[in-house]
Amino acid sequence: MQTQMLIGGALVSGTETEEPILNPRTGEIILTLPEASIAQVETAVAAAQKAFETWSRTTPAQRSGYLLKIADRIEAKAAEFASLEALNCGKPGHLALADELPAIIDCYRFFAGAVRNMSGPVAGEYLAGHTSMIRRDPIGVVASIAPWNYPLMMMAWKIAPAIAAGNTVVFKPSEQTPLTALKMAEIFAEILPEGVVNIVLGRGDTVGAALIDHPAIAMISITGDIATGRKIMEAATKTIKRTHLELGGKAPVILLDDADIEAAIAGLRAFGYYNAGQDCTAACRIYAHASVYDRFVADFSAAVSTISYGNSDDSLNEMGPLISPRQRDRVASFVARAREANHIEITAGGEIPDGPGFFYKPTVIAGAQQTDEIVQREVFGPVVSVTRFDETETAVKWANDSNYGLASSIWTKDVSKGLALSSRLQYGCTWVNTHFMLTNEMPHGGMKHSGYGKDMSVYALEDYSIVRHVMIAH
Ligand code: NAD
């Protein structure tokens, strides 16, 4: 297994504290990895700064060529990447291979194409005797910091648009899930010029803090917790760094009286519990119309109870464990507090199953009310609440009554009703009659406390570049 970081084109080991890397399916330690020293972080930033001088002057076609090679190399090793991601995150390997790897490979390919096809306002004489034109130029060295839920995909979402736009990167994976990033280090070392991508290991308050405080970092891109996003914003004020924040969600699902209930149950069984609900867009907060509520709760709870997990034959598993004992206990405590309310009924799951690993049973919390903690706060686990509503207006109001603003969905057979309601939801994405589906051509990103960075799509290329005006006097 590749265990070294990537600094200035060289694979090197960290020199500081050893961090245990766990297998969430068994609870066993896979290996320990030393984190980077502050001096190593500084060397990585210096290497990225040096590489920027030449990388920022390459043509879009040249950068595109590198991205395509990276995509091909990941594709050739897709099965290895999927099993490593499964080992480190506990997710079913067959799902990582079928769902995540193709999207990751396509992410590099998308940005390889998109950067050659940027568009903008036309050059012209907006002031008499002067020609104005718009440029989009790279920003500099980007510090990219990723979470543990989709380590390889978050890495692709951050690195592909950043380097496509001509920036160089110092990337820090989550201290809990560095294994696929380290495997990527080999690919980057082999394909990219020295220093374009650097990878350092370490915890947030040591290596992460050193990175975000570094004066030579021009932009910080983070996917993580709201509290971490706040720290990034504070650090960014010191040298006025650009920030790109993706910070969690609590996705509302509005199930109207005319919804196709069977399709909704099949969809929400998948979209509420995929990756054990450790997904910022997870369909975790359902509002069901009173006329369909009882049938929905009964059939949905029965369907959720059939989600398979914990089988020794991984190909049978639909769901993995939580990432750590801490995360599992956090999920369990949310459910325990919800259970205390008289109006709440746990209609599926609601406990830690017997056996090894950090599993939590897929859980449905029925009868939840809008002000309940379980409706308001992000659980980031396999727990979905269901709340009854009478008027559509109330459902829209409750859906928007959240600090989060990342993703949402509406289920109805009347598409015009779905369209009308989608315009009123304050979320970065609204799906109608589906949820959770992403494509590299379309943006992913939030509003409110969910942050404002856009991943995927040309909007990410815009986030990772600066609009400049050049004017020529005739
Ligand atoms: P986290 O905020 O604890 O950690 C994310 C990353 O930030 C890690 O690499 C961590 O080491 C680093 N970090 C932590 N403190 C830091 C500091 N002071 N300075 C610099 N770096 C620091 O989040 P997590 O627990 O890894 O991930 C779960 C969270 O991420 C959830 O809240 C989830 O909703 C959110 N998330 C959001 C999206 C999205 O697209 N909006 C996607 C995935 C996860």
Side-chain angles (χ1 to χ4, degrees):
M1 193 183 296
Q2 206 300 98
T3 59
Q4 290 184 301
M5 313 186 293
L6 177 62
I7 299 180
L11 295 173
V12 293
S13 296
T15 58
E16 303 302 306
T17 319
E18 295 270 342
E19 191 72 30
I21 309 300
L22 300 180
N23 176 343
R25 279 183 72 182
T26 61
E28 288 160 2
I29 295 177
I30 304 166
L31 79 176
T32 62
L33 287 172
E35 69 177 6
S37 66
I38 302 304
Q40 287 177 313
V41 172
E42 281 171 0
T43 310
V45 176
Q49 261 185 301
K50 185 157 180 287
F52 183 75
E53 288 168 22
T54 41
W55 184 254
S56 59
R57 295 200 200 123
T58 51
T59 62
Q62 285 171 322
R63 297 195 294 275
S64 175
Y66 286 110
L67 287 168
L68 292 173
K69 275 191 200 151
I70 293 168
D72 289 348
R73 296 286 284 131
I74 303 172
E75 193 166 50
K77 291 174 182 274
E80 289 169 45
F81 272 111
S83 14
L84 205 52
E85 199 81 318
L87 175 71
N88 199 172
C89 304
K91 49 181 90 195
H94 65 104
L95 295 182
L97 184 60
D99 301 339
E100 295 183 35
L101 263 298
I104 290 162
I105 295 158
D106 187 59
C107 178
Y108 288 95
R109 291 195 177 133
F110 169 76
F111 284 109
V115 73
R116 302 184 68 178
N117 194 29
M118 295 290 283
S119 59
V122 288
E125 289 65 52
Y126 297 97
L127 191 65
H130 300 76
T131 297
S132 284
M133 67 179 79
I134 288 295
R135 297 179 55 87
R136 267 208 173 267
D137 285 327
I139 296 166
V141 180
V142 179
S144 287
I145 301 179
W148 43 255
N149 56 349
Y150 296 101
L152 191 61
M153 190 181 295
M154 294 302 110
M155 188 182 205
W157 285 10
K158 291 189 183 302
I159 290 181
I163 64 173
N167 305 286
T168 56
V169 174
V170 179
F171 178 84
K172 190 193 87 59
S174 163
E175 57 273 38
Q176 300 180 77
T177 56
L179 297 187
T180 44
L182 295 176
K183 193 171 172 61
M184 281 299 297
E186 276 180 329
I187 293 181
F188 289 134
E190 188 188 305
I191 294 175
L192 289 175
E194 191 177 307
V196 172
V197 171
N198 303 269
I199 298 170
V200 291
L201 295 185
R203 289 162 293 161
D205 54 4
T206 53
V207 174
L211 250 186
I212 62 176
D213 282 335
H214 200 295
I217 296 290
M219 171 173 174
I220 310 167
S221 164
I222 170 106
T223 299
D225 204 47
I226 291 178
T228 312
R230 282 202 188 94
K231 286 185 196 155
I232 303 293
M233 291 184 90
E234 280 164 23
T237 59
K238 290 177 206 149
T239 51
I240 320 292
K241 294 174 167 62
R242 290 184 171 234
T243 53
H244 182 276
L245 305 180
E246 295 269 23
L247 310 172
K250 183 78 186 173
V253 174
I254 301 179
L255 202 62
L256 295 178
D257 53 357
D258 66 350
D260 178 339
I261 297 295
E262 275 175 32
I265 288 170
L268 298 171
R269 177 187 181 278
F271 309 136
Y273 301 88
Y274 193 86
N275 211 34
Q278 301 167 115
D279 190 303
C280 45
T281 66
C284 59
R285 176 162 66 107
I286 300 175
Y287 297 102
H289 188 266
S291 65
V292 296
Y293 177 90
D294 289 334
R295 178 185 154 206
F296 174 77
V297 167
D299 293 356
F300 181 58
S301 305
V304 167
S305 302
T306 67
I307 293 174
S308 57
Y309 60 91
N311 298 290
S312 52
D313 176 357
D314 189 40
S315 68
L316 301 174
N317 292 323
E318 293 175 276
M319 195 186 89
L322 280 307
I323 193 71
S324 62
R326 184 166 164 262
Q327 184 67 12
R328 186 203 44 203
D329 295 347
R330 185 172 176 271
V331 170
S333 71
F334 267 109
V335 177
R337 287 192 296 275
R339 200 191 293 275
E340 281 168 19
N342 287 334
H343 54 267
I344 275 180
E345 193 189 349
I346 313 259
T347 52
E351 57 187 8
I352 295 172
D354 294 333
F358 314 137
F359 289 92
Y360 195 82
K361 286 189 179 175
T363 297
V364 178
I365 299 200
Q369 294 179 1
Q370 180 61 14
T371 51
D372 290 344
E373 180 195 52
I374 203 73
V375 175
Q376 292 290 332
R377 288 188 56 198
E378 185 186 43
V379 178
F380 225 56
V383 177
V384 174
S385 67
V386 193
T387 300
R388 181 197 301 261
F389 72 87
D390 291 305
E391 304 295 332
T392 304
E393 281 307 306
T394 312
V396 172
K397 190 169 138 234
W398 284 346
N400 284 335
D401 168 31
S402 172
N403 283 336
Y404 291 103
L406 187 61
S408 55
S409 66
I410 298 162
W411 296 72
T412 172
K413 283 186 188 143
D414 183 342
V415 174
S416 58
K417 213 190 274 178
L419 262 182
L421 288 183
S422 70
S423 71
R424 298 180 54 201
L425 291 181
Q426 294 158 356
Y427 288 84
C429 176
T430 298
W431 290 280
V432 178
N433 293 331
T434 187
H435 196 108
F436 203 71
M437 308 305 286
L438 299 174
T439 171
N440 280 302
E441 290 82 356
M442 291 292 140
H444 168 83
M447 299 166 62
K448 304 198 233 175
H449 294 194
S450 293
Y452 41 72
K454 291 281 180 265
D455 288 319
M456 310 195 294
S457 79
V458 288
Y459 299 103
L461 278 178
E462 291 184 1
D463 279 5
Y464 286 100
S465 60
I466 296 178
V467 178
R468 296 181 56 239
H469 169 209
V470 174
M471 184 187 258
I472 302 124
H474 294 175

